[in-house]
């Protein structure tokens, strides 16, 4: 098939296959919100096909299928979750998504338990291994609840009805008179009741009811959904019993530290490992093969030192002498020069991704004009737990233990590297000490698998913080050029937005210079403005490192440019951001981008279910302005406020940021107010936590986040030169309001981040009069 760049994907037949290979949840969800036509069906499962260690042979097991429907892809049914009932009445639910603090391992099983109506304390949650029978397991793209909540409801309602019918048969009463409540089946008229364990065997013999026969709970009946419930791992986490990737051990395991090529796509010229082999505990060295383009999730190559401890492996690595054959296409990569290349790119016409009216004519006739350039640097994920994996190759098969966001990507990548089938790879998922998108890319697991095969023993590959920062799948650097033309009253009549960034598309298409649809769909062309002349262009940029998605992805840099420019337009016209932005988005309506020649990416979801709704965006901005006192805030040189509102991941979010600046120019953030409309919610406490975390995350990146390269090598190595916000730099108080909504569940983990940078820099302008168009803020002397 051909991609958007006119390049063929060898041996790949469809976009979902590309997404599966790249683990790209942003690219591959074609419209999978389950609460639409073609909802999940539930079926009984052969216990022999179920995970043997999870349930006993006498358990009653149900599986739920998730319907994936799309106007652009034929409907397919994918099994997404299994639940079972032990004879003693305990409910066992398999969590097929990864847990990294978002609550995914709790929220989806919680829906099943609520719809089933059992005591949450009796539920045992088991983590799924990688397997296509679960449907997508890629915990990325803020879509876990959105895509699977309907499947969970149906699974719970189906099991409840089957158990009620089993009890009715035994008691000789109409099934309509039997009710399952808190794990007990009751028949009020005869005053009979029994635990569900008494009816497991009988329920297992009944036919699965059709969806039309099910009764779903009214929201007023929910016991857990919409309530604050602790995550299932909370006790183990706070008591130190939780198992993360770094905690995994196997008998006879070796530890590996890898010297990777410092310049992207370079190869080994020669190696001298004699001194490394003299280090106590070092067993051997192994040369890993270089990757072949496109790099996908292949390991980078290099020289591994295998030892009987992590310390010995790291000490041995220090003694390696490796000469590299640096790739000349990337060895000259320098961030300062590349920045100018990007600005040169956006100062020329690019590939049009949206066109309404005639921008050129309108802008030339404008009574007022404004132009501005914006820049956001390359960023690293830097999760608290760096990449780590254990793998054991035995009899042509691999078993891996890893903190991964996508165990199926692990299967695919490991299988491709070792020449085996994905079914011969078992991917066990541990808890993740942070992810932010980095751990959906399983190159580190591939390393462990290759080294286990080479050594004949289980191998744990440990990445240091320096490895993590220098060899990341980096978030793209971006340069953006904006033009706005206004009439004499200041009303925005013409808008030009150009963006150049080395695309994530280069992961799967070597040499790709333009963003894929999901990248341009992240606010480059999906802008909700009521402006008669709009043009959006994606300008070319070549990658010199591995590019990957970081929390909020392209929204991070696009939202910074959009809302900074709107704030500038507002001040140019003696207005403020709130009034000018509301005027610019126009009346409440659902925006139809197809009129501008755009097929909306819309996070892979149909606009019929998730319309681009200016009314919801207006309401979160108005409420945020009211809660923060934005309109009446007395801005001064010591204290000021900024605000921004943005739609991303199908959610609508506004944040106001208050800053304080002391006489020495030190900036602190006393308050952040966030108002979010994310549709319905399952665990409001987890939702609030995600937006609180997003405020810290967004502030940290805006203040100090920056990765640079010199002669192709990454300059930063640890938190001394890639700092993250400490307590005194992070927001001191974060007030989060979740708007009550009946809209479908939308994204939560990512949409809180994009609004922070533009709100923060707007506040700085309101205090100092200085416009910050380039991040990070620490590069600008504020006073």
């Amino acid at each position: 098939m051909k991609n958007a760049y006119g390049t063929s994907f060898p041996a790949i037949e469809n976009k979902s296959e590309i997404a599966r290979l790249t683990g790209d949840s942003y690219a591959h969800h074609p419209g999978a919100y389950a609460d639409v036509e073609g909802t999940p069906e539930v079926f009984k499962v052969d216990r022999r096909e179920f995970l043997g260690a999870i349930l006993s042979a006498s358990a009653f097991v149900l599986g739920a299928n998730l319907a994936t429907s799309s106007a652009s892809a034929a409907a397919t049914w994918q099994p997404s979750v299994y639940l079972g009932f032990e004879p003693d009445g305990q409910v066992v639910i398999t969590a097929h998504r990864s847990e990294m603090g978002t609550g995914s391992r709790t929220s989806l099983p919680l829906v099943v338990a609520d719809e089933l109506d059992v005591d949450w304390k009796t539920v045992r949650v088991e983590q799924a291994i990688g397997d296509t029978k679960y449907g997508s397991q890629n915990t990325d793209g803020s879509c876990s609840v959105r895509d699977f909540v309907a499947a969970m409801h149906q699974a719970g309602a189906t099991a409840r009805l089957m158990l009620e019918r089993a009890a009715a048969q035994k008691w000789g009463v109409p099934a309509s008179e039997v009710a399952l409540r808190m794990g007990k089946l009751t028949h009020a008229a005869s005053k009979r009741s029994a635990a569900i364990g008494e009816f497991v065997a009988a329920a297992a013999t009944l036919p699965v009811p059709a969806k039309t026969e099910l009764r779903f709970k009214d929201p007023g009946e929910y016991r857990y959904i919409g309530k604050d419930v602790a995550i299932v791992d909370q006790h183990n986490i706070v008591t130190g019993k939780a198992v993360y990737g770094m905690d995994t051990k196997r008998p006879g395991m070796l530890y590996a530290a890898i010297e990777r090529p410092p310049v992207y796509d370079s190869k080994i010229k020669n190696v001298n490992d004699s001194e490394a082999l003299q280090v106590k505990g070092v067993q051997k060295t192994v040369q890993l093969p270089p990757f072949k383009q496109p790099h996908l999730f292949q390991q980078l190559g290099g020289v591994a030192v295998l030892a009987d401890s992590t310390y010995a492996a790291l000490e041995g690595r220090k003694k390696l002498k490796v000469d590299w054959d640096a790739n000349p296409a990337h060895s000259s990569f320098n961030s300062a020069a590349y920045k100018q290349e990007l600005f040169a790119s956006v100062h020329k016409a690019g590939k049009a991704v949206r066109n309404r009216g005639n921008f050129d004519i309108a802008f030339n006739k404008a009574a007022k004009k404004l132009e501005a350039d914006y820049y956001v640097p390359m960023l690293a994920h830097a999760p608290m737990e760096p990449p780590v994996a254990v793998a054991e190759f035995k009899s042509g098969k691999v078993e891996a233990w890893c903190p991964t966001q996508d165990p199926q990507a692990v299967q695919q990548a490991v299988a491709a590297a070792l020449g085996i089938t994905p079914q011969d790879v078992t991917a066990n998922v541990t808890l993740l000490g942070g992810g932010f998108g980095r751990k959906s890319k399983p190159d580190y697991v591939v390393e462990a698998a290759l080294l286990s095969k080479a050594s004949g023993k289980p191998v744990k590959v440990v990445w240091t913080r320096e490895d993590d920062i220098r060899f990341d799948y980096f978030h793209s650097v971006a340069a953006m050029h904006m033009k706005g033309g206004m009439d004499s009253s200041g009303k925005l009549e013409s808008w030009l937005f150009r963006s150049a960034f080395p695309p994530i598309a280069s992961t799967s298409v070597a040499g790709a210079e333009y963003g894929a649809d999901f990248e341009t769909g992240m606010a480059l062309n999906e802008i909700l403005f009521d402006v008669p002349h709009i043009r959006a262009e994606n300008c070319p940029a070549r990658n010199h490192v591995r590019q990957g998605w970081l929390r909020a992805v392209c929204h991070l840099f696009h939202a910074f440019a959009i809302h900074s420019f709107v704030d500038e337009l507002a001040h140019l016209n003696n207005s403020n951001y709130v009034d000018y932005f509301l005027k610019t988005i126009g009346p409440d309506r659902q925006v139809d981008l197809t009129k501008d020649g755009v097929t909306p990416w819309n996070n892979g979801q149909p606009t019929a279910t998730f319309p681009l709704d200016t009314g919801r965006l207006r309401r979160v901005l108005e409420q945020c302005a009211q809660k923060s006192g934005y309109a009446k805030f007395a801005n001064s040189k010591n204290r000021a406020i900024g605000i921004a509102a943005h739609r991303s991941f199908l959610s609508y979010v506004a944040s106001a940021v208050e800053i304080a600046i002391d006489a020495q120019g030190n900036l602190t953030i006393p308050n952040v107010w966030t108002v979010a409309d994310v549709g319905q919610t399952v665990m409001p406490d987890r939702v609030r936590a995600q937006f609180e975390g997003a405020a810290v995350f967004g502030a940290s990146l805006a203040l100090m986040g920056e990765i640079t390269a010199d002669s192709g090598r990454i300059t930063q190595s640890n938190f001394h030169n890639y700092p993250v916000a400490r307590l005194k730099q992070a927001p001191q108080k974060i007030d989060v309001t979740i708007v009550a909504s009946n809209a479908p569940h939308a994204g939560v983990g990512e949409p809180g981040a994009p609004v922070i940078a533009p709100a923060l820099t707007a506040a700085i302008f309101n205090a100092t009069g200085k416009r910050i168009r380039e991040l990070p803020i620490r590069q600008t002397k504020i006073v």
Side-chain angles (χ1 to χ4, degrees):
M1 62 163 287
K2 296 276 190 177
N3 73 343
Y5 323 103
T7 305
S8 295
F9 289 102
I12 298 178
E13 301 298 327
N14 53 58
K15 288 184 177 180
S16 63
E17 178 70 1
I18 296 165
R20 184 173 61 82
L21 289 173
T22 61
D24 187 354
S25 66
Y26 301 102
H28 85 271
H29 288 296
Y33 184 71
D35 202 12
V36 293
E37 291 290 332
T39 45
E41 73 175 358
V42 174
F43 56 94
K44 286 187 287 188
V45 178
D46 185 335
R47 289 185 294 274
R48 291 170 297 180
E49 295 179 359
F50 195 63
L51 303 181
I54 292 179
L55 290 168
S56 67
S58 57
F60 167 40
V61 185
L62 286 178
N65 273 335
L66 174 67
T68 300
S69 59
S70 169
S72 61
T76 59
W77 294 88
Q78 296 179 304
S80 61
V81 68
Y82 294 94
L83 66 151
F85 305 83
E86 294 282 12
D88 64 3
Q90 183 176 61
V91 179
V92 182
I93 303 174
T94 302
H96 70 299
R97 310 292 273 192
S98 300
E99 181 58 71
M100 50 191 160
T102 60
S104 297
R105 232 171 78 84
T106 301
S107 57
L108 294 173
L110 194 72
V111 173
V112 179
D114 203 331
E115 193 67 69
L116 179 62
D117 209 325
V118 294
D119 187 343
W120 178 241
K121 295 177 182 178
T122 69
V123 173
R124 188 173 82 238
V125 177
E126 296 283 352
Q127 185 67 44
I129 62 172
D131 197 316
T132 55
K133 69 186 177 185
Y134 295 112
S136 171
Q137 290 180 267
N138 191 9
T139 314
D140 245 332
S142 299
C143 61
S144 291
V145 171
R146 182 196 77 199
D147 285 355
F148 291 95
V149 67
M152 303 299 163
H153 275 293
Q154 187 166 346
T158 300
R160 171 164 38 87
L161 180 57
M162 293 176 73
L163 288 164
E164 288 171 345
R165 286 178 173 176
Q169 284 185 358
K170 182 175 181 179
W171 292 337
V173 299
S176 60
E177 295 180 5
V178 177
L180 174 56
R181 296 286 184 272
M182 283 296 284
K184 285 192 175 183
L185 289 146
T186 60
H187 182 246
S190 62
K191 298 183 179 180
R192 280 179 285 189
S193 67
I196 59 176
E198 294 188 26
F199 304 100
V200 166
T205 66
L206 298 178
V208 176
K211 183 183 176 183
T212 54
E213 301 178 75
L214 303 180
R215 184 191 72 81
F216 293 96
K217 280 187 174 183
D218 183 272
E221 300 177 88
Y222 291 156
R223 298 185 187 276
Y224 313 119
I225 297 171
K227 312 295 194 303
D228 289 338
V229 179
I231 61 173
V232 294
D233 302 293
Q234 179 173 289
H235 177 75
N236 285 344
I237 289 172
V238 300
T239 57
K241 297 177 182 177
V243 177
Y244 293 86
M246 192 63 185
D247 299 317
T248 305
K249 293 182 180 179
R250 298 292 295 166
M253 183 175 73
L254 295 178
Y255 298 79
I258 301 171
E259 186 73 5
R260 300 173 182 86
V263 175
Y264 174 69
D265 202 9
S266 296
K267 297 174 175 60
I268 295 171
K269 189 180 296 182
N270 57 70
V271 179
N272 184 335
D273 62 0
S274 59
E275 291 187 28
L277 292 171
Q278 297 302 311
V279 173
K280 184 180 180 180
V282 170
Q283 302 293 315
K284 64 186 300 185
T285 66
V286 176
Q287 288 194 35
L288 290 168
F291 65 83
K292 296 179 181 179
Q293 293 284 8
H295 64 253
L296 298 172
F297 296 152
Q298 299 171 77
Q299 51 85 37
L300 284 168
V303 184
V305 176
L306 277 67
D308 56 16
S309 69
T310 300
Y311 177 79
L314 291 172
E315 288 298 301
R317 184 172 70 169
K318 293 177 184 177
K319 300 294 185 179
L320 283 174
K321 293 180 174 62
V322 185
D323 291 331
W324 299 98
D325 184 11
N327 188 324
H330 306 298
S331 60
S332 60
F333 175 41
N334 176 279
S335 291
Y338 189 70
K339 177 180 178 180
Q340 297 311 311
E341 289 180 31
L342 292 178
F343 278 131
S345 184
V346 296
H347 286 167
K348 301 174 184 177
K351 183 178 71 173
V353 293
R354 184 176 179 182
N355 195 29
R356 173 193 293 177
N358 191 312
F359 170 80
D360 291 331
I361 292 176
F363 186 75
N364 288 335
K365 293 181 178 179
K368 298 180 181 180
K369 299 177 182 180
L370 181 65
E371 298 186 35
D373 288 338
Y374 298 92
Y375 177 81
V376 176
M378 189 159 59
L379 301 168
H381 294 82
M384 187 59 65
E385 175 195 39
V388 60
V390 174
E392 184 171 4
F393 179 86
K394 186 184 296 184
S395 303
K397 297 184 179 182
V398 173
E399 185 165 11
W401 295 261
C402 48
T404 178
Q405 292 177 240
D406 188 356
Q408 290 179 35
V410 170
Q411 292 179 288
Q412 292 293 328
V414 169
L418 274 67
I420 58 180
T421 69
Q423 292 73 30
D424 289 328
V425 180
T426 301
N428 299 285
V429 183
T430 67
L431 292 177
L432 283 68
F436 309 123
R438 172 60 181 99
K439 292 174 183 172
S440 57
K441 308 161 187 72
D443 56 318
Y444 54 100
V445 192
V446 175
E447 292 174 333
L450 287 170
L451 293 173
S452 177
K453 183 178 181 181
S455 65
K457 295 183 178 181
V459 172
K460 174 184 278 189
V461 169
V462 177
W463 285 48
T464 64
R465 179 61 63 198
E466 288 78 8
D467 295 331
D468 173 45
I469 289 178
R470 287 174 173 159
F471 302 105
D472 198 5
Y473 278 80
F474 297 99
H475 184 263
S476 298
V477 55
M480 292 147 287
H481 179 62
M482 321 288 287
K483 289 184 179 180
M486 296 145 278
D487 64 17
S488 57
S489 71
K491 182 181 179 182
L492 188 62
E493 294 287 333
S494 55
W495 170 277
L496 173 69
F497 186 9
R498 290 181 183 151
S499 179
F501 51 90
I504 296 170
S506 63
T507 299
S508 54
V509 183
E513 297 185 346
Y514 294 93
D517 290 346
F518 77 93
E519 294 175 273
T520 58
M522 290 189 181
L524 180 56
N525 59 14
E526 292 188 12
I527 299 173
L528 279 59
F529 289 172
D530 186 22
V531 175
H533 306 279
I534 294 177
R535 186 169 177 84
E537 298 174 0
N538 184 202
C539 302
R542 290 294 299 269
N543 73 297
H544 295 291
V545 296
R546 299 189 297 181
Q547 307 296 161
W549 48 94
L550 170 73
R551 186 181 193 178
V553 205
C554 302
H555 284 290
L556 283 177
F557 45 77
H558 286 155
F560 173 65
I562 291 167
H563 302 294
S564 294
F565 194 57
V566 169
D567 195 65
E568 293 198 41
L569 290 168
H571 283 273
L572 179 65
N573 291 284
N574 299 313
S575 185
N576 62 60
Y577 175 91
V578 172
D579 293 342
Y580 198 85
F581 184 80
L582 292 177
K583 184 184 296 183
T584 302
I585 64 172
D588 292 358
R589 69 197 187 286
Q590 295 180 359
V591 177
D592 183 2
L593 294 179
T594 63
K595 293 180 179 179
D596 298 346
V598 176
T599 300
W601 174 63
N602 202 41
N603 233 72
Q605 302 302 300
T607 55
T609 306
F610 292 94
L612 287 77
D613 191 330
T614 62
R616 294 175 73 184
L617 187 58
R618 173 184 60 79
R619 286 188 287 274
V620 294
L621 179 57
E622 289 177 338
Q623 190 169 346
C624 186
Q626 187 274 326
K627 288 185 70 67
S628 64
Y630 175 82
K632 297 180 180 179
F633 198 95
N635 290 317
S636 69
K637 67 179 182 179
N638 302 118
R639 215 168 184 94
I641 195 171
I643 197 169
H646 191 71
R647 179 186 186 267
S648 67
F649 301 93
L650 311 174
S651 292
Y652 302 80
V653 181
S655 283
V657 177
E658 178 189 354
I659 64 163
I661 304 175
D662 65 20
Q664 288 73 43
N666 298 310
L667 182 147
T668 56
I669 304 174
N671 287 288
V672 171
W673 296 266
T674 294
V675 176
D677 181 350
V678 299
Q680 301 170 56
T681 61
V682 174
M683 299 178 68
D685 179 63
R686 285 292 90 195
V687 174
R688 288 191 297 270
Q690 287 301 292
F691 282 98
E692 290 166 354
V696 176
F697 183 86
S700 183
L701 294 182
L703 289 168
M704 58 196 72
E706 182 179 30
I707 291 290
T708 58
D710 185 20
S711 298
R713 298 172 181 238
I714 299 302
T715 306
Q716 290 72 27
S717 62
N718 210 311
F719 291 132
H720 69 287
N721 54 8
Y722 186 71
V724 296
R726 304 299 177 95
L727 283 175
K728 66 180 181 179
Q729 297 153 331
Q732 297 163 16
K733 184 178 180 182
I734 304 168
D735 182 289
V736 177
T737 299
I738 305 301
V739 175
S741 176
N742 291 320
H745 302 78
V748 168
E750 296 171 271
V755 289
I756 299 299
L760 180 53
T761 53
I764 291 172
F765 172 79
N766 289 334
T768 68
K770 288 188 176 182
R771 279 291 175 195
I772 295 177
R773 293 175 173 174
E774 298 185 9
L775 298 179
I777 293 167
R778 68 173 177 154
Q779 301 290 13
T780 300
K781 185 174 175 57
I782 296 176
V783 295

